[in-house]
């Protein structure tokens, strides 16, 4: 993908105090037995509450494999870090989708070279057509 090839990464993002509070409340709600950590199933419920989808087995495995073996689950600090990273990724992909939509002027779901040229002429009018063509070939 072009963005990863170019080294683009989601920007560091900080939650607002109200959003941070919501994450803590979700953690406490999902930690029904007040264990101080979220089990695998607790974590899945928390993701549903915050992001509206049930994490796949692969996603849950990845999260649980990173958990400190001495705690049996995800501590609040780890949970907040996981949620922050998921939110950053979500915002990053929303930004990419927004940019794509701006380039896809005819709502076809794909970009033509002409779409690319028109978009770049608006945002970078001095950019040579050769560079625009090279960029198009990289992402196409």
């Amino acid at each position: 993908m072009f963005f990863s090839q170019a080294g683009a990464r989601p920007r560091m993002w900080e939650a607002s105090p109200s959003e941070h509070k919501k994450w803590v409340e979700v953690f406490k709600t999902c930690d029904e037995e007040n264990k101080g950590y979220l089990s695998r199933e607790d974590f899945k419920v928390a993701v549903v509450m915050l992001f509206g989808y049930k994490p796949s087995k692969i996603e849950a495995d990845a999260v649980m494999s990173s958990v400190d073996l001495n705690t049996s689950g995800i501590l609040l600090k780890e949970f907040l870090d996981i949620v922050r990273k998921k939110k950053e990724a979500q915002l990053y992909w929303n930004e990419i989708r927004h940019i794509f939509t701006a380039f896809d002027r005819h709502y076809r779901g794909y970009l033509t070279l002409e779409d690319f040229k028109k978009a770049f002429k608006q945002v970078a009018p001095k950019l040579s057509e050769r560079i625009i063509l090279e960029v198009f070939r990289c992402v196409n």
Side-chain angles (χ1 to χ4, degrees):
M1 171 179 223
F2 175 74
F3 292 98
S4 61
Q5 289 172 348
R9 296 282 180 253
R11 291 185 283 272
M12 284 296 292
W13 174 83
E14 289 299 321
S16 67
S18 64
E19 192 150 29
H20 186 271
K21 181 180 175 185
K22 176 182 173 185
W23 298 351
V24 171
E25 288 172 3
V26 166
F27 180 91
K28 289 177 180 177
T29 300
C30 293
D31 179 18
E32 292 182 51
E33 299 166 8
N34 295 319
K35 307 173 296 288
Y37 63 87
L38 297 182
S39 68
R40 176 189 197 88
E41 291 307 311
D42 297 337
F43 171 71
K44 288 180 181 181
V45 172
V47 171
V48 170
M49 291 174 72
L50 291 171
F51 295 96
Y53 77 94
K54 180 181 174 189
S56 68
K57 180 181 182 333
I58 294 170
E59 183 178 354
D61 286 348
V63 169
M64 296 311 289
S65 70
S66 68
V67 169
D68 183 354
L69 297 174
N70 298 323
T71 63
S72 302
I74 304 165
L75 299 174
L76 176 61
K77 182 180 181 307
E78 294 168 322
F79 176 73
L80 294 175
D81 190 47
I82 291 165
V83 171
R84 181 187 53 79
K85 287 177 182 175
K86 287 181 74 55
K87 187 68 171 180
E88 282 177 357
Q90 186 180 52
L91 293 171
Y92 176 69
W93 288 110
N94 285 343
E95 185 176 349
I96 290 173
R97 188 176 298 111
H98 180 75
I99 292 168
F100 178 87
T101 302
F103 277 41
D104 184 15
R105 300 171 61 121
H106 301 287
Y107 306 105
R108 292 179 288 228
Y110 61 90
L111 300 178
T112 65
L113 179 57
E114 287 308 309
D115 293 332
F116 235 64
K117 286 180 182 178
K118 287 178 183 176
F120 275 99
K121 290 294 179 210
Q122 288 181 337
V123 297
K126 294 183 181 182
L127 200 60
S128 74
E129 192 163 324
R130 182 184 62 79
I131 292 175
I132 295 170
L133 183 58
E134 286 180 30
V135 171
F136 183 77
R137 285 183 180 150
C138 284
V139 299
N140 199 1

